[in-house]
Amino acid sequence: MIHQERVNPSSTSMRKILIQIDSDRQPSVFDAVVALDAGIDHLLPYGGVVADQVRDLVHGAIFTRGPQDLKSTAIFIGGQNVAVGEALLEEVVKAFFGPLRVSVMLDPNGCNTTAAAAVLRAAKHLDLPRSRALVLGATGPVGQRVCRLLARRGAQVRVGSRLRDRAAQVAERIGTAAGGDRLEPVVAGSPDEVAAALEGRDLAVAAGAAGVQLLPVAQWSACKSLKVMIDLNAVPPLGIEGVQVTDKAKDRCGVLAYGAIGVGGTKMKIHKAAIARLFESNDHVLDAESILQIGLSLESQGG
Amino acid sequence: MIHQERVNPSSTSMRKILIQIDSDRQPSVFDAVVALDAGIDHLLPYGGVVADQVRDLVHGAIFTRGPQDLKSTAIFIGGQNVAVGEALLEEVVKAFFGPLRVSVMLDPNGCNTTAAAAVLRAAKHLDLPRSRALVLGATGPVGQRVCRLLARRGAQVRVGSRLRDRAAQVAERIGTAAGGDRLEPVVAGSPDEVAAALEGRDLAVAAGAAGVQLLPVAQWSACKSLKVMIDLNAVPPLGIEGVQVTDKAKDRCGVLAYGAIGVGGTKMKIHKAAIARLFESNDHVLDAESILQIGLSLESQGG
Amino acid sequence: MIHQERVNPSSTSMRKILIQIDSDRQPSVFDAVVALDAGIDHLLPYGGVVADQVRDLVHGAIFTRGPQDLKSTAIFIGGQNVAVGEALLEEVVKAFFGPLRVSVMLDPNGCNTTAAAAVLRAAKHLDLPRSRALVLGATGPVGQRVCRLLARRGAQVRVGSRLRDRAAQVAERIGTAAGGDRLEPVVAGSPDEVAAALEGRDLAVAAGAAGVQLLPVAQWSACKSLKVMIDLNAVPPLGIEGVQVTDKAKDRCGVLAYGAIGVGGTKMKIHKAAIARLFESNDHVLDAESILQIGLSLESQGG
């Protein structure tokens, strides 16, 4: 121990620096506060970041500290636009030079931590490999991640969208990635379509745009098989009628309901643990699946 | 140890985060350094902030930490434009959700801390409830605050402007807010008008635009009643002819003179104390009156 | 109380604040990380800074802390454009008020730390007052600094450029500043011109634009007098054919070769030491010569 410290004093005293790359003009206060509360020492916030600025930012991260200290520098990619965030992540990874790299976490609009938290909460009540889920707003950035994560955990997932083609495209793409045929596209626009899509499901997740109601109370209350419903929309009107934003395993007519704030505590724990994970080595690329894994390991530790 | 953790572990270790909301493209170095010297742990600076960006910034402040820890996050509103700062404050307060709020301080262009410092310095030499003051440049952002604070402390205040209508409007508005008829509009443009306005006054405060002389030496040196004169302009030519920017209770022909730097030490103490106050609870909204109160309590502690 | 003030509590406990003034839209991560690793406590990063914003930034630095504490605030000027950086430095110095000033370091695009590192590495192998050097790409921002520093250390320097007029202008300007006639302009565009310019030289430094080859292998390998060659370009194709970016005193056909990364360790040490130097007093203006001096003092300490 002492010997180790003599050999390499800097890696123990290195301060943890997080580079916040955000596509919004004003970088997220939310992400900044969570990162500070997760124990980083210094935040370098960058707002309004566009793809061709990424290389210089990354080079500044990888060419300043010695290889053994690169784990004390990390990158967080945020912003409200998930697709832009994904493009920025590609640029970040392209800018690495072999072993000269730092860990990076993708969570624009909280998409990964939110999707992971929803799946974790569902797993509290359901055996996912036996679960049959309907995801509404499934073709959006959070919805796609919920579908992916549920399918990876073994659930049968209906990918719900108002548009059949869009649902089919997303189901096929995720199905390929998730390595199975557990995804089924469904049209879920009108109340009747939603009722049909919900039939036989024990889990419903609403992951649509803010302020759009996707699942009326008449439909879900008539569904005998439904056990858990999770609404990830925090802005009224919520995605599932009759759910409150603060619901946390609240019994509503026999269905356990979660609102966005009800899932928020789990999301926050995952977010902080993921930030901490970034500084354990210099080669993490934390996206949906790895962030869910972090959540699962928190659960197994009784977190 | 265990006991301590049961009581409230997080609120004792929480780092103090100040969110600097500034309407200028480059957020103020001045405000940043003072905040750091006032003991905050982390600054999140935001420049070029416009009204419709405020809600997300505030939500990031109030939705990240638990209710008992919200007092460790606060907001400072700066920038050179006071009216814009006031509009940003409105947006900040609108974005709070009941008890989910953080303390906020308004001090664009140093208007509140400067006005409070001027009033405090005047109170060193004058009994304010018996004082009769003339404020020149009284319709500007700092001048209005000086009038308000003097009237609240019981002084008779002449609200001086080159334009009678403007002076009358401001006097009426402040008079209503200050709850009395202690404000009198006066026209104070030409030397003769200024001399008339100054008659019988024991206090003169110049709060006009930078580089504009408001009170010539011939006028104030001829005023027998004048005891204290305070010039808040730091850029030559100063607002009161013959006053030096560093004057601090300097006797000039029998009148105690203050320049902007002479008031600066008091302003800085108030500024730092106000920042510290933000972190005592999560519900402060520090504007002119509350910032003067902080200054008064510093005085009473011998500060 | 008096005793406490004699000791001077504030100046010992004052946190070190570095104001990063960067002309690029996104301030440099590289400069930020190096500054944090050099021991500063807080970084205030400013990106996209233009000349007329400098005065307010500087005033915020000099008007916040007492004179004895100004050494705990400093300014770093970066950005990719060296000429813009030099203009920003002028604005910074103009904004000081006599003794109210803070230390400032100029290193846009790493020009000063890179030039100083190249000269220091050359001095490891050569007696500079007896050395005869050729600098290629000598009229660029790094090249000019290499010429200046070599001439100041007593070397005979050929100022190489494709354009005779440009070379002559730069040689004259630097010669005047360096106080001697140790600079000779040479045209060094075609291979024959480069071969002629290299004749009798023991040192060659390539300081041209990224990705432009200035010195082919046929030319340098035929030069009997050449002992050391340093390529400061990190982006292939390098400025000196046959040199690797990681070369560090690597023997290549009898010539000791350095690439940009081979010089990087020295550059980094100089950069960190220069940042630390800023906080020793409030009156440093660190440009090429003073930054080389810092490097030399590191060498003499066995750094």
Side-chain angles (χ1 to χ4, degrees):
Chain A
M1 193 72 176
I2 286 164
H3 185 66
Q4 198 177 23
E5 285 195 42
R6 279 214 339 258
V7 170
N8 189 357
S10 57
S11 69
T12 56
S13 64
M14 271 281 147
R15 294 190 281 186
K16 292 177 194 166
I17 298 174
L18 186 68
I19 300 159
Q20 181 185 15
I21 293 183
D22 198 306
S23 58
D24 297 343
R25 169 68 185 83
Q26 304 291 6
S28 163
V29 168
F30 188 100
D31 295 336
V33 173
V34 175
L36 290 167
D37 285 348
I40 68 161
D41 296 305
H42 289 283
L43 183 74
L44 299 177
Y46 290 86
V49 177
V50 295
D52 66 7
Q53 296 169 338
V54 168
R55 201 186 63 151
D56 281 346
L57 299 177
V58 173
H59 286 184
I62 64 178
F63 290 145
T64 36
R65 291 172 156 187
Q68 79 283 11
D69 293 323
L70 284 178
K71 68 177 182 189
S72 297
T73 309
I75 294 171
F76 178 93
I77 300 174
Q80 296 190 36
N81 188 316
V82 180
V84 170
E86 289 170 333
L88 292 175
L89 175 61
E90 271 187 44
E91 294 295 323
V92 166
V93 172
K94 270 203 298 194
F96 292 152
F97 268 85
L100 296 185
R101 57 190 295 145
V102 296
S103 285
V104 54
M105 172 175 174
L106 179 74
D107 202 30
N109 210 19
C111 62
N112 282 325
T113 49
T114 300
V119 171
L120 271 185
R121 296 314 302 181
K124 289 266 182 199
H125 312 290
L126 302 169
D127 180 28
L128 290 186
R130 291 161 178 269
S131 173
R132 288 168 304 168
L134 169 64
V135 179
L136 295 165
T139 60
V142 175
Q144 289 192 35
R145 284 168 161 79
V146 173
C147 293
R148 257 161 73 177
L149 295 178
L150 287 172
R152 286 276 173 86
R153 303 300 299 167
Q156 297 293 326
V157 182
R158 283 193 176 148
V159 177
S161 170
R162 281 166 306 170
L163 303 171
R164 181 174 299 277
D165 285 358
R166 186 91 179 94
Q169 281 166 22
V170 167
E172 190 184 335
R173 183 145 53 86
I174 297 174
T176 308
D181 57 351
R182 290 191 286 268
L183 292 121
E184 175 193 354
V186 293
V187 180
S190 71
D192 284 356
E193 289 169 348
V194 170
L198 196 59
E199 211 182 300
R201 303 285 114 180
D202 53 7
L203 171 65
V205 180
V212 177
Q213 190 187 98
L214 298 172
L215 182 50
V217 69
Q219 274 61 42
W220 67 256
S221 63
C223 175
K224 301 278 190 249
S225 57
L226 194 64
K227 292 179 181 161
V228 179
M229 56 187 176
I230 301 175
D231 189 344
L232 299 175
N233 178 8
V235 180
L238 299 194
I240 302 178
E241 190 185 9
V243 171
Q244 299 283 327
V245 73
T246 52
D247 281 358
K248 186 174 178 180
K250 171 88 176 176
D251 189 322
R252 294 208 175 266
C253 313
V255 181
L256 296 175
Y258 283 89
I261 292 177
V263 175
T266 302
K267 172 191 163 13
M268 190 66 86
K269 277 183 198 166
I270 297 172
H271 191 154
K272 285 186 193 172
I275 295 286
R277 180 69 55 87
L278 291 172
F279 296 94
E280 291 177 3
S281 73
N282 74 324
D283 56 1
H284 288 302
V285 178
L286 302 185
D287 202 337
E289 280 75 14
S290 42
I291 289 172
L292 176 61
Q293 282 302 326
I294 290 168
L296 288 165
S297 66
L298 285 178
E299 295 282 309
S300 69
Q301 295 159 25
Chain B
M1 193 73 174
I2 286 166
H3 184 67
Q4 200 177 18
E5 284 194 41
R6 277 216 337 258
V7 170
N8 189 354
S10 55
S11 69
T12 55
S13 64
M14 270 282 146
R15 295 190 281 186
K16 292 176 192 164
I17 297 175
L18 186 68
I19 299 159
Q20 181 187 14
I21 292 183
D22 197 306
S23 59
D24 297 343
R25 170 67 185 85
Q26 304 291 6
S28 163
V29 168
F30 188 101
D31 295 336
V33 173
V34 174
L36 289 167
D37 285 349
I40 68 160
D41 296 305
H42 289 282
L43 182 75
L44 299 177
Y46 289 86
V49 177
V50 295
D52 66 7
Q53 296 169 340
V54 167
R55 202 187 62 152
D56 281 346
L57 299 178
V58 174
H59 285 184
I62 64 178
F63 291 146
T64 36
R65 291 173 154 185
Q68 80 282 10
D69 293 323
L70 284 178
K71 69 178 181 188
S72 297
T73 308
I75 293 172
F76 178 93
I77 300 174
Q80 296 189 35
N81 189 316
V82 180
V84 170
E86 289 170 333
L88 293 175
L89 176 61
E90 271 188 47
E91 294 294 322
V92 166
V93 172
K94 271 202 298 193
F96 292 151
F97 268 85
L100 297 184
R101 55 189 297 145
V102 297
S103 285
V104 54
M105 171 176 176
L106 179 74
D107 202 30
N109 210 20
C111 62
N112 282 325
T113 49
T114 300
V119 172
L120 272 184
R121 296 315 302 182
K124 288 266 181 197
H125 312 289
L126 301 168
D127 180 26
L128 290 187
R130 292 161 177 269
S131 174
R132 289 169 303 168
L134 168 64
V135 180
L136 295 165
T139 60
V142 175
Q144 288 192 35
R145 284 168 160 80
V146 173
C147 293
R148 257 162 74 177
L149 295 177
L150 287 172
R152 287 275 173 86
R153 302 299 300 167
Q156 297 293 326
V157 182
R158 283 192 176 149
V159 177
S161 170
R162 279 165 308 168
L163 303 171
R164 180 175 299 279
D165 285 359
R166 186 90 180 96
Q169 282 166 20
V170 168
E172 191 185 334
R173 184 145 50 87
I174 297 172
T176 308
D181 58 351
R182 289 190 286 269
L183 291 120
E184 176 195 353
V186 293
V187 180
S190 70
D192 283 356
E193 289 168 348
V194 171
L198 196 58
E199 210 181 301
R201 304 284 115 180
D202 53 8
L203 171 65
V205 180
V212 178
Q213 190 186 98
L214 299 171
L215 182 49
V217 69
Q219 273 62 41
W220 66 255
S221 63
C223 174
K224 302 277 190 251
S225 58
L226 193 63
K227 292 181 181 159
V228 179
M229 57 185 176
I230 300 175
D231 189 343
L232 299 176
N233 177 8
V235 181
L238 298 193
I240 303 178
E241 189 184 10
V243 171
Q244 299 284 326
V245 73
T246 52
D247 281 358
K248 185 175 178 179
K250 170 90 177 176
D251 190 322
R252 293 206 174 270
C253 311
V255 181
L256 296 176
Y258 283 90
I261 292 177
V263 175
T266 301
K267 172 192 162 17
M268 189 67 84
K269 276 183 199 165
I270 297 172
H271 191 155
K272 285 185 193 173
I275 295 285
R277 180 70 54 89
L278 291 173
F279 296 93
E280 291 177 3
S281 73
N282 73 324
D283 56 1
H284 288 302
V285 178
L286 302 185
D287 203 337
E289 281 74 15
S290 41
I291 289 172
L292 176 61
Q293 282 303 325
I294 290 168
L296 288 165
S297 65
L298 285 178
E299 296 282 310
S300 69
Q301 293 158 25
Chain C
M1 194 72 175
I2 286 166
H3 183 66
Q4 200 177 18
E5 285 194 41
R6 278 219 333 264
V7 169
N8 196 352
S10 57
S11 68
T12 56
S13 65
M14 271 282 146
R15 294 190 282 186
K16 293 176 192 164
I17 298 175
L18 185 68
I19 300 158
Q20 181 186 14
I21 293 182
D22 198 306
S23 58
D24 296 343
R25 169 68 185 85
Q26 304 291 6
S28 163
V29 168
F30 189 100
D31 294 336
V33 173
V34 174
L36 290 167
D37 285 349
I40 69 161
D41 295 305
H42 289 284
L43 183 74
L44 299 177
Y46 289 86
V49 177
V50 295
D52 66 7
Q53 296 168 339
V54 167
R55 201 187 62 153
D56 281 346
L57 299 178
V58 173
H59 286 184
I62 64 178
F63 291 145
T64 36
R65 291 173 155 186
Q68 79 283 10
D69 292 323
L70 284 178
K71 68 178 182 189
S72 298
T73 309
I75 294 172
F76 178 93
I77 300 174
Q80 296 190 36
N81 189 317
V82 180
V84 170
E86 289 170 332
L88 293 175
L89 176 61
E90 271 188 44
E91 294 295 322
V92 166
V93 173
K94 270 201 300 193
F96 292 151
F97 268 85
L100 296 184
R101 56 189 296 145
V102 296
S103 285
V104 53
M105 171 177 175
L106 179 74
D107 201 31
N109 209 21
C111 62
N112 282 326
T113 49
T114 300
V119 172
L120 271 184
R121 295 314 302 182
K124 288 266 181 196
H125 311 289
L126 301 169
D127 181 26
L128 290 186
R130 292 162 177 268
S131 173
R132 289 169 302 168
L134 168 65
V135 180
L136 295 165
T139 60
V142 175
Q144 289 192 35
R145 284 169 161 80
V146 173
C147 293
R148 258 162 73 178
L149 296 178
L150 287 171
R152 286 277 173 84
R153 303 300 300 166
Q156 297 293 326
V157 181
R158 283 192 176 150
V159 178
S161 170
R162 279 166 307 169
L163 303 172
R164 179 174 301 277
D165 285 358
R166 186 92 179 94
Q169 282 166 21
V170 167
E172 191 185 334
R173 184 145 52 86
I174 297 174
T176 308
D181 58 350
R182 289 191 285 269
L183 290 120
E184 175 194 355
V186 292
V187 179
S190 70
D192 283 355
E193 289 168 347
V194 171
L198 196 59
E199 209 180 302
R201 304 284 114 180
D202 53 7
L203 171 64
V205 180
V212 178
Q213 191 186 97
L214 298 172
L215 182 50
V217 69
Q219 273 62 41
W220 66 256
S221 63
C223 174
K224 301 279 190 248
S225 57
L226 193 64
K227 291 180 182 161
V228 179
M229 57 187 176
I230 299 176
D231 189 344
L232 299 176
N233 177 7
V235 180
L238 299 192
I240 303 178
E241 189 184 10
V243 171
Q244 298 284 325
V245 73
T246 52
D247 282 358
K248 185 174 179 180
K250 169 89 177 176
D251 189 324
R252 294 207 175 268
C253 312
V255 182
L256 294 176
Y258 283 90
I261 293 178
V263 174
T266 302
K267 172 193 166 10
M268 189 67 84
K269 277 184 199 165
I270 296 171
H271 191 155
K272 285 186 193 171
I275 295 286
R277 179 69 55 88
L278 290 172
F279 296 94
E280 290 177 4
S281 73
N282 75 323
D283 56 1
H284 289 302
V285 178
L286 303 185
D287 203 336
E289 280 75 15
S290 42
I291 289 172
L292 176 61
Q293 282 303 324
I294 290 168
L296 289 165
S297 65
L298 284 179
E299 296 281 311
S300 69
Q301 294 159 24

